[in-house]
Amino acid sequence: MEYFHDHFRQTWNTLYTAASRGKRPEGMSIKQFLKTGLQFCEHLHMHHGIEEMHIFPVLARKMPAFRKELELLTQHRQIHTGLDQFQAYLQDCASGDRELRMTELKDLMDSFGAVLWTHLSDEVEQLGAENMRKYWTPAEMKIMPM
């Protein structure tokens, strides 16, 4: 899980640094920048979809943090509220319907950034070996769908 989350952090940092500085990374075209942002959105949507459909239901059998009413799924909903607006903005920019303005991009990222970063850490902590051993036997962990 840490591998995927590190990729999200790295891509976020590329996008957020550019939005904060008001300019794209050196050597990155507008088209490449927008594609990077849109891929970030698509990958995060897919990642959370897989977790919610295939992984969280298994973990929720024994781990309270993965039950629907609790924090990790609530974080998903909070992230996706901002992520959906961010994605729509990037799509509008990519299609030429809007001009890319880094201040607007930063404001959109700020709307869900804190919960995203908290979530990336919380989930990895919940799935760490020490915590998993509290709920699962080694044999059970070997047959998990991840």
Side-chain angles (χ1 to χ4, degrees), residues 49-95:
I50 291 167
E51 286 178 337
E52 290 177 17
M53 187 172 287
H54 301 287
I55 298 171
F56 284 10
V58 172
L59 297 173
R61 291 181 202 149
K62 292 187 177 188
M63 299 176 77
F66 292 96
R67 295 197 181 119
K68 284 190 182 215
E69 70 277 3
L70 293 176
E71 193 167 351
L72 291 170
L73 280 168
T74 300
Q75 288 173 343
H76 277 192
R77 286 190 293 279
Q78 292 170 344
I79 290 164
H80 287 274
T81 298
L83 182 68
D84 291 345
Q85 293 172 355
F86 178 67
Q87 186 172 15
Y89 179 78
L90 292 171
Q91 288 169 333
D92 286 348
C93 293
S95 70

Side-chain angles (χ1 to χ4, degrees), residues 3 28 32 43 48 72 82 91 100 110 125 127-129 144:
Y3 171 81
M28 186 181 277
Q32 290 169 323
H43 293 165
H48 284 169
L72 291 170
Q91 288 169 333
L100 176 63
D110 284 338
E125 182 180 324
L127 295 171
M144 286 186 176

Side-chain angles (χ1 to χ4, degrees), residues 11-27:
T11 305
W12 173 275
N13 285 337
T14 297
L15 297 167
Y16 195 81
T17 298
S20 297
R21 291 181 180 167
K23 65 178 191 171
R24 297 181 316 277
E26 193 170 321

Side-chain angles (χ1 to χ4, degrees), residues 30 34 89 92-94 96-102 104:
I30 291 175
L34 293 171
Y89 179 78
D92 286 348
C93 293
D97 291 339
R98 293 183 82 158
E99 183 178 331
L100 176 63
R101 298 189 187 281
M102 293 299 199
E104 288 181 57

